Amino acid sequence: MNRSALLSSALFTLLRNKTRSLLTVLGITIGIAAMICVVAVGKAGQAQVERQLDNLGDNLVWVERGGRAVNGVRTGTQSNTTLTMGDAMAMKEQMPLLKEVAPDVNGGAQVVYGNKNWYTNYRGDPLEFFSVKRWVIDQGALFTQDDIDASANVCVLGRTVQTQLFGREDPIGKVVRVKDLPCKVVATLQPKGISVYGTDQDDTIVLPLTTAQKKIMGVVWLNNIFASAVTPEVVKLAGREATAILRDRHHLRPEQTDDFNIRNPEDVIQAKLKSSRTLSLLLISVAAVSLLVGGIGIMNVMLVSVTERTREIGVRVAVGATEEAIRLQFLSEAVMLSLVGGAAGVLFGLAGSFLIGRSFGWPMEISLESLAIAVLFSVGVGVFFGYYPARKASLLNPIEALRYE
């Protein structure tokens, strides 16, 4: 019996019992659809976390002023003013593991334009800050090193501040007031979204470091030192080297705790990414259980079919059908059931993934590999659970089969 004859025979047999075949196919359909949706949702979640990791910075090494405990008292971060430009320069000069260093000051301020105002977080930074933190210019051009040297009254707006103050109006060249300081808007930043800590990264305004230090804050110390390591693998090592250099510069004795803090936001993102992958595997396991149930349904239906068609099997053997032909006949019916269920599952899975993405605003990604795996899995289920009924049919005694009532 050739393949086309096998398939047409299997399809004809299944169509004779439409309701039973439909109910049998349903288990496979649900399992395949659930698996495709779960994989798509898992990929969307992982992509979102990976974007957070990418937005975090270029191999970020983050030093902030204030230790977790100073002289036995838990004061928290940002509690002292021992971090200085000298520390940033020492890190830059003494640490070959770093390719860029960006000293930073920041604070909160009311920003006013015309009759609109918005309370936001301002930052004072050098040009290296934008590459270290992977900020991309949307409109205009960054302030220059000459602006930093001259403490110029210029600023760069994040998307949230731009929207709140200007709406659809072009902000480039306009003047806003940061506290009482008038600043000319020279550029805007492309949006980054929510940070790993749940804050709006776009709710910010960036000024030259010297402008913020001298004209707004009136300080010489720093809030943070952001640095970029040469590779992701040396970020932790660079943090340890920075700790040694800063402890030496701050004249801290071995028994004294750090008066600064090395932060590792990447650890938080990696933990979220690991949790996302674990959850995806758990959901895929649940979907696999539904496929297992669907496969058992196929086996049950095929066993019933063998019983119902015992006399037919006896006639076929009597006229010369081999055991292999009988086995292939019933196995092809099981595979046909699983293929139909798999095809329907793929369609429902794609539709479900699209609806989930539209509902939650997630960029859903359906890989061809996942679709291929789903189809192969459905065929595998048909072969695995259809083999036993097919073998049972092929081993029937033809004389007893012809006598079967």
Side-chain angles (χ1 to χ4, degrees):
M1 185 179 292
N2 58 41
R3 295 177 183 176
S4 59
L6 272 174
L7 293 176
S8 60
S9 174
L11 186 60
F12 175 77
T13 303
L14 296 178
L15 289 176
R16 284 192 307 183
N17 298 284
K18 296 182 181 65
T19 303
R20 186 169 70 183
S21 299
L22 179 63
L23 293 175
T24 305
V25 161
L26 195 59
I28 299 294
T29 300
I30 293 173
I32 294 295
M35 184 168 288
I36 290 175
C37 287
V38 164
V39 171
V41 170
K43 281 184 173 292
Q46 290 179 29
Q48 188 173 8
V49 175
E50 286 167 357
R51 277 195 298 274
Q52 285 185 333
L53 182 59
D54 186 64
N55 287 338
L56 183 64
D58 182 17
N59 305 328
L60 182 65
V61 179
W62 180 0
V63 184
E64 66 177 354
R65 70 182 178 93
R68 295 297 182 183
V70 179
N71 297 326
V73 179
R74 296 186 65 83
T75 56
T77 58
Q78 305 292 328
S79 57
N80 58 44
T81 57
T82 58
L83 211 58
T84 65
M85 281 294 296
D87 295 331
M89 292 301 101
M91 288 175 58
K92 184 175 183 179
E93 293 168 1
Q94 300 177 33
M95 293 180 61
L97 293 180
L98 301 181
K99 53 185 177 182
E100 288 185 308
V101 176
D104 165 86
V105 295
N106 60 73
Q110 202 78 22
V111 183
V112 180
Y113 172 70
N115 61 353
K116 296 180 181 179
N117 67 89
W118 181 252
Y119 189 84
T120 188
N121 177 61
Y122 68 86
R123 315 196 75 99
D125 291 289
L127 296 174
E128 291 84 356
F129 170 79
F130 296 95
S131 56
V132 170
K133 292 288 286 181
R134 284 181 172 159
W135 278 107
V136 179
I137 297 301
D138 186 30
Q139 297 174 276
L142 277 179
F143 48 77
T144 64
Q145 185 60 46
D146 289 339
D147 293 327
I148 297 174
D149 295 339
S151 303
N153 295 0
V154 292
C155 63
V156 178
L157 302 184
R159 179 58 60 85
T160 299
V161 179
Q162 176 187 351
T163 302
Q164 293 296 330
L165 295 182
F166 294 93
R168 295 180 178 275
E169 183 182 352
D170 184 3
I172 305 301
K174 305 295 193 305
V175 176
V176 299
R177 281 192 295 112
V178 183
K179 289 191 175 179
D180 295 323
L181 182 71
C183 291
K184 180 181 178 182
V185 179
V186 294
T188 61
L189 299 170
Q190 289 187 5
K192 271 194 175 187
I194 302 301
S195 74
V196 63
Y197 297 109
T199 57
D200 183 3
Q201 297 181 91
D202 303 314
D203 192 2
T204 189
I205 180 170
V206 185
L207 301 89
L209 174 62
T210 52
T211 304
Q213 279 186 315
K214 297 176 182 179
K215 297 183 177 181
I216 296 181
M217 302 176 69
V219 299
V220 293
W221 43 262
L222 303 174
N223 288 91
N224 306 284
I225 299 174
F226 298 113
S228 178
V230 291
T231 64
E233 292 75 22
V234 301
V235 168
K236 295 290 181 66
L237 178 59
R240 291 193 290 270
E241 286 190 5
T243 298
I245 290 172
L246 294 178
R247 284 187 64 86
D248 180 64
R249 285 185 52 82
H250 295 182
H251 307 293
L252 296 175
R253 294 188 298 273
E255 68 274 11
Q256 288 182 296
T257 56
D258 298 338
D259 58 358
F260 55 89
N261 182 48
I262 306 292
R263 302 196 69 169
N264 295 297
E266 183 179 353
D267 292 345
V268 178
I269 296 179
Q270 292 292 354
K272 289 175 66 176
L273 189 59
K274 185 177 180 180
S275 298
S276 175
R277 289 170 178 162
T278 302
L279 182 60
S280 295
L281 288 175
L282 178 62
L283 294 175
I284 289 173
S285 301
V286 173
V289 170
S290 65
L291 277 175
L292 178 65
V293 173
I296 293 172
I298 287 178
M299 185 168 66
N300 288 337
V301 167
M302 294 308 300
L303 285 172
V304 171
S305 180
V306 169
T307 303
E308 290 177 345
R309 296 158 62 190
T310 301
R311 286 180 62 83
E312 176 193 330
I313 295 169
V315 172
R316 286 175 57 82
V317 173
V319 298
T322 63
E323 288 185 7
E324 183 182 2
I326 300 296
R327 187 162 55 245
L328 285 175
Q329 178 189 359
F330 283 89
L331 194 59
S332 65
E333 292 176 15
V335 171
M336 181 63 72
L337 279 172
S338 62
L339 275 176
V340 172
V346 168
L347 293 177
F348 282 112
L350 292 173
S353 300
F354 176 75
L355 290 175
I356 292 172
R358 287 288 298 273
S359 300
F360 294 96
W362 294 344
M364 306 298 283
E365 296 180 8
I366 307 294
S367 64
L368 293 177
E369 290 83 358
S370 64
L371 296 181
I373 290 172
V375 173
L376 291 174
F377 206 96
S378 64
V379 173
V381 166
V383 172
F384 182 81
F385 287 99
Y387 180 78
Y388 174 70
R391 185 174 183 276
K392 182 179 179 182
S394 68
L395 295 178
L396 284 176
N397 188 307
I399 297 175
E400 293 180 1
L402 286 170
R403 291 176 178 174
Y404 185 81
E405 297 294 337

mmCIF file with all atom_site columns, all heavy atoms in Angstrom, residues 37-51:
data_model
loop_
_atom_site.group_PDB
_atom_site.id
_atom_site.type_symbol
_atom_site.label_atom_id
_atom_site.label_alt_id
_atom_site.label_comp_id
_atom_site.label_asym_id
_atom_site.label_entity_id
_atom_site.label_seq_id
_atom_site.pdbx_PDB_ins_code
_atom_site.Cartn_x
_atom_site.Cartn_y
_atom_site.Cartn_z
_atom_site.occupancy
_atom_site.B_iso_or_equiv
_atom_site.pdbx_formal_charge
_atom_site.auth_seq_id
_atom_site.auth_comp_id
_atom_site.auth_asym_id
_atom_site.auth_atom_id
_atom_site.pdbx_PDB_model_num
ATOM 1   N N   . CYS A 1 37 ? 1.615  29.327 22.583 1.00 0.00 ? 37 CYS A N   1
ATOM 2   C CA  . CYS A 1 37 ? 1.343  30.558 23.342 1.00 0.00 ? 37 CYS A CA  1
ATOM 3   C C   . CYS A 1 37 ? 2.338  30.738 24.475 1.00 0.00 ? 37 CYS A C   1
ATOM 4   O O   . CYS A 1 37 ? 2.845  31.837 24.706 1.00 0.00 ? 37 CYS A O   1
ATOM 5   C CB  . CYS A 1 37 ? -0.079 30.537 23.890 1.00 0.00 ? 37 CYS A CB  1
ATOM 6   S SG  . CYS A 1 37 ? -1.360 30.781 22.652 1.00 0.00 ? 37 CYS A SG  1
ATOM 7   N N   . VAL A 1 38 ? 2.615  29.649 25.178 1.00 0.00 ? 38 VAL A N   1
ATOM 8   C CA  . VAL A 1 38 ? 3.542  29.728 26.312 1.00 0.00 ? 38 VAL A CA  1
ATOM 9   C C   . VAL A 1 38 ? 4.939  30.114 25.843 1.00 0.00 ? 38 VAL A C   1
ATOM 10  O O   . VAL A 1 38 ? 5.607  30.966 26.448 1.00 0.00 ? 38 VAL A O   1
ATOM 11  C CB  . VAL A 1 38 ? 3.577  28.375 27.059 1.00 0.00 ? 38 VAL A CB  1
ATOM 12  C CG1 . VAL A 1 38 ? 4.781  28.291 27.977 1.00 0.00 ? 38 VAL A CG1 1
ATOM 13  C CG2 . VAL A 1 38 ? 2.301  28.188 27.862 1.00 0.00 ? 38 VAL A CG2 1
ATOM 14  N N   . VAL A 1 39 ? 5.404  29.498 24.751 1.00 0.00 ? 39 VAL A N   1
ATOM 15  C CA  . VAL A 1 39 ? 6.733  29.831 24.228 1.00 0.00 ? 39 VAL A CA  1
ATOM 16  C C   . VAL A 1 39 ? 6.786  31.288 23.779 1.00 0.00 ? 39 VAL A C   1
ATOM 17  O O   . VAL A 1 39 ? 7.760  32.005 24.042 1.00 0.00 ? 39 VAL A O   1
ATOM 18  C CB  . VAL A 1 39 ? 7.094  28.889 23.059 1.00 0.00 ? 39 VAL A CB  1
ATOM 19  C CG1 . VAL A 1 39 ? 8.364  29.366 22.356 1.00 0.00 ? 39 VAL A CG1 1
ATOM 20  C CG2 . VAL A 1 39 ? 7.289  27.463 23.565 1.00 0.00 ? 39 VAL A CG2 1
ATOM 21  N N   . ALA A 1 40 ? 5.710  31.758 23.114 1.00 0.00 ? 40 ALA A N   1
ATOM 22  C CA  . ALA A 1 40 ? 5.679  33.147 22.644 1.00 0.00 ? 40 ALA A CA  1
ATOM 23  C C   . ALA A 1 40 ? 5.691  34.126 23.815 1.00 0.00 ? 40 ALA A C   1
ATOM 24  O O   . ALA A 1 40 ? 6.424  35.127 23.800 1.00 0.00 ? 40 ALA A O   1
ATOM 25  C CB  . ALA A 1 40 ? 4.444  33.376 21.780 1.00 0.00 ? 40 ALA A CB  1
ATOM 26  N N   . VAL A 1 41 ? 4.876  33.842 24.838 1.00 0.00 ? 41 VAL A N   1
ATOM 27  C CA  . VAL A 1 41 ? 4.832  34.720 26.015 1.00 0.00 ? 41 VAL A CA  1
ATOM 28  C C   . VAL A 1 41 ? 6.170  34.699 26.743 1.00 0.00 ? 41 VAL A C   1
ATOM 29  O O   . VAL A 1 41 ? 6.677  35.738 27.195 1.00 0.00 ? 41 VAL A O   1
ATOM 30  C CB  . VAL A 1 41 ? 3.685  34.298 26.961 1.00 0.00 ? 41 VAL A CB  1
ATOM 31  C CG1 . VAL A 1 41 ? 3.785  35.032 28.290 1.00 0.00 ? 41 VAL A CG1 1
ATOM 32  C CG2 . VAL A 1 41 ? 2.334  34.570 26.317 1.00 0.00 ? 41 VAL A CG2 1
ATOM 33  N N   . GLY A 1 42 ? 6.764  33.500 26.865 1.00 0.00 ? 42 GLY A N   1
ATOM 34  C CA  . GLY A 1 42 ? 8.073  33.400 27.522 1.00 0.00 ? 42 GLY A CA  1
ATOM 35  C C   . GLY A 1 42 ? 9.138  34.183 26.789 1.00 0.00 ? 42 GLY A C   1
ATOM 36  O O   . GLY A 1 42 ? 9.945  34.880 27.409 1.00 0.00 ? 42 GLY A O   1
ATOM 37  N N   . LYS A 1 43 ? 9.151  34.102 25.457 1.00 0.00 ? 43 LYS A N   1
ATOM 38  C CA  . LYS A 1 43 ? 10.127 34.866 24.675 1.00 0.00 ? 43 LYS A CA  1
ATOM 39  C C   . LYS A 1 43 ? 9.906  36.366 24.818 1.00 0.00 ? 43 LYS A C   1
ATOM 40  O O   . LYS A 1 43 ? 10.858 37.144 24.886 1.00 0.00 ? 43 LYS A O   1
ATOM 41  C CB  . LYS A 1 43 ? 10.049 34.449 23.202 1.00 0.00 ? 43 LYS A CB  1
ATOM 42  C CG  . LYS A 1 43 ? 10.750 33.143 22.876 1.00 0.00 ? 43 LYS A CG  1
ATOM 43  C CD  . LYS A 1 43 ? 10.706 32.872 21.393 1.00 0.00 ? 43 LYS A CD  1
ATOM 44  C CE  . LYS A 1 43 ? 11.558 31.655 21.039 1.00 0.00 ? 43 LYS A CE  1
ATOM 45  N NZ  . LYS A 1 43 ? 13.005 31.908 21.242 1.00 0.00 ? 43 LYS A NZ  1
ATOM 46  N N   . ALA A 1 44 ? 8.624  36.778 24.855 1.00 0.00 ? 44 ALA A N   1
ATOM 47  C CA  . ALA A 1 44 ? 8.327  38.204 25.016 1.00 0.00 ? 44 ALA A CA  1
ATOM 48  C C   . ALA A 1 44 ? 8.829  38.706 26.368 1.00 0.00 ? 44 ALA A C   1
ATOM 49  O O   . ALA A 1 44 ? 9.407  39.791 26.469 1.00 0.00 ? 44 ALA A O   1
ATOM 50  C CB  . ALA A 1 44 ? 6.826  38.455 24.879 1.00 0.00 ? 44 ALA A CB  1
ATOM 51  N N   . GLY A 1 45 ? 8.595  37.897 27.426 1.00 0.00 ? 45 GLY A N   1
ATOM 52  C CA  . GLY A 1 45 ? 9.068  38.287 28.749 1.00 0.00 ? 45 GLY A CA  1
ATOM 53  C C   . GLY A 1 45 ? 10.580 38.358 28.828 1.00 0.00 ? 45 GLY A C   1
ATOM 54  O O   . GLY A 1 45 ? 11.154 39.310 29.384 1.00 0.00 ? 45 GLY A O   1
ATOM 55  N N   . GLN A 1 46 ? 11.265 37.380 28.243 1.00 0.00 ? 46 GLN A N   1
ATOM 56  C CA  . GLN A 1 46 ? 12.714 37.382 28.251 1.00 0.00 ? 46 GLN A CA  1
ATOM 57  C C   . GLN A 1 46 ? 13.274 38.543 27.434 1.00 0.00 ? 46 GLN A C   1
ATOM 58  O O   . GLN A 1 46 ? 14.271 39.158 27.818 1.00 0.00 ? 46 GLN A O   1
ATOM 59  C CB  . GLN A 1 46 ? 13.230 36.057 27.699 1.00 0.00 ? 46 GLN A CB  1
ATOM 60  C CG  . GLN A 1 46 ? 12.984 34.871 28.621 1.00 0.00 ? 46 GLN A CG  1
ATOM 61  C CD  . GLN A 1 46 ? 13.476 33.568 28.034 1.00 0.00 ? 46 GLN A CD  1
ATOM 62  O OE1 . GLN A 1 46 ? 14.410 33.544 27.252 1.00 0.00 ? 46 GLN A OE1 1
ATOM 63  N NE2 . GLN A 1 46 ? 12.833 32.468 28.398 1.00 0.00 ? 46 GLN A NE2 1
ATOM 64  N N   . ALA A 1 47 ? 12.616 38.837 26.312 1.00 0.00 ? 47 ALA A N   1
ATOM 65  C CA  . ALA A 1 47 ? 13.079 39.966 25.485 1.00 0.00 ? 47 ALA A CA  1
ATOM 66  C C   . ALA A 1 47 ? 12.954 41.280 26.246 1.00 0.00 ? 47 ALA A C   1
ATOM 67  O O   . ALA A 1 47 ? 13.815 42.164 26.148 1.00 0.00 ? 47 ALA A O   1
ATOM 68  C CB  . ALA A 1 47 ? 12.264 40.027 24.192 1.00 0.00 ? 47 ALA A CB  1
ATOM 69  N N   . GLN A 1 48 ? 11.863 41.408 27.034 1.00 0.00 ? 48 GLN A N   1
ATOM 70  C CA  . GLN A 1 48 ? 11.663 42.632 27.809 1.00 0.00 ? 48 GLN A CA  1
ATOM 71  C C   . GLN A 1 48 ? 12.745 42.779 28.880 1.00 0.00 ? 48 GLN A C   1
ATOM 72  O O   . GLN A 1 48 ? 13.293 43.859 29.088 1.00 0.00 ? 48 GLN A O   1
ATOM 73  C CB  . GLN A 1 48 ? 10.277 42.621 28.442 1.00 0.00 ? 48 GLN A CB  1
ATOM 74  C CG  . GLN A 1 48 ? 9.895  43.928 29.117 1.00 0.00 ? 48 GLN A CG  1
ATOM 75  C CD  . GLN A 1 48 ? 8.451  43.927 29.581 1.00 0.00 ? 48 GLN A CD  1
ATOM 76  O OE1 . GLN A 1 48 ? 7.771  42.918 29.539 1.00 0.00 ? 48 GLN A OE1 1
ATOM 77  N NE2 . GLN A 1 48 ? 7.984  45.073 30.035 1.00 0.00 ? 48 GLN A NE2 1
ATOM 78  N N   . VAL A 1 49 ? 13.062 41.673 29.559 1.00 0.00 ? 49 VAL A N   1
ATOM 79  C CA  . VAL A 1 49 ? 14.103 41.713 30.590 1.00 0.00 ? 49 VAL A CA  1
ATOM 80  C C   . VAL A 1 49 ? 15.464 41.995 29.961 1.00 0.00 ? 49 VAL A C   1
ATOM 81  O O   . VAL A 1 49 ? 16.275 42.747 30.506 1.00 0.00 ? 49 VAL A O   1
ATOM 82  C CB  . VAL A 1 49 ? 14.132 40.379 31.364 1.00 0.00 ? 49 VAL A CB  1
ATOM 83  C CG1 . VAL A 1 49 ? 15.300 40.369 32.347 1.00 0.00 ? 49 VAL A CG1 1
ATOM 84  C CG2 . VAL A 1 49 ? 12.827 40.181 32.128 1.00 0.00 ? 49 VAL A CG2 1
ATOM 85  N N   . GLU A 1 50 ? 15.732 41.389 28.778 1.00 0.00 ? 50 GLU A N   1
ATOM 86  C CA  . GLU A 1 50 ? 17.004 41.633 28.106 1.00 0.00 ? 50 GLU A CA  1
ATOM 87  C C   . GLU A 1 50 ? 17.132 43.085 27.647 1.00 0.00 ? 50 GLU A C   1
ATOM 88  O O   . GLU A 1 50 ? 18.231 43.645 27.643 1.00 0.00 ? 50 GLU A O   1
ATOM 89  C CB  . GLU A 1 50 ? 17.142 40.676 26.920 1.00 0.00 ? 50 GLU A CB  1
ATOM 90  C CG  . GLU A 1 50 ? 17.440 39.245 27.352 1.00 0.00 ? 50 GLU A CG  1
ATOM 91  C CD  . GLU A 1 50 ? 17.270 38.250 26.217 1.00 0.00 ? 50 GLU A CD  1
ATOM 92  O OE1 . GLU A 1 50 ? 16.869 38.683 25.107 1.00 0.00 ? 50 GLU A OE1 1
ATOM 93  O OE2 . GLU A 1 50 ? 17.537 37.057 26.437 1.00 0.00 ? 50 GLU A OE2 1
ATOM 94  N N   . ARG A 1 51 ? 15.994 43.696 27.287 1.00 0.00 ? 51 ARG A N   1
ATOM 95  C CA  . ARG A 1 51 ? 16.036 45.123 26.937 1.00 0.00 ? 51 ARG A CA  1
ATOM 96  C C   . ARG A 1 51 ? 16.376 45.964 28.160 1.00 0.00 ? 51 ARG A C   1
ATOM 97  O O   . ARG A 1 51 ? 17.094 46.958 28.068 1.00 0.00 ? 51 ARG A O   1
ATOM 98  C CB  . ARG A 1 51 ? 14.696 45.560 26.344 1.00 0.00 ? 51 ARG A CB  1
ATOM 99  C CG  . ARG A 1 51 ? 14.549 45.249 24.863 1.00 0.00 ? 51 ARG A CG  1
ATOM 100 C CD  . ARG A 1 51 ? 13.391 46.015 24.258 1.00 0.00 ? 51 ARG A CD  1
ATOM 101 N NE  . ARG A 1 51 ? 12.129 45.657 24.870 1.00 0.00 ? 51 ARG A NE  1
ATOM 102 C CZ  . ARG A 1 51 ? 11.374 44.620 24.475 1.00 0.00 ? 51 ARG A CZ  1
ATOM 103 N NH1 . ARG A 1 51 ? 11.762 43.860 23.477 1.00 0.00 ? 51 ARG A NH1 1
ATOM 104 N NH2 . ARG A 1 51 ? 10.236 44.348 25.090 1.00 0.00 ? 51 ARG A NH2 1
#
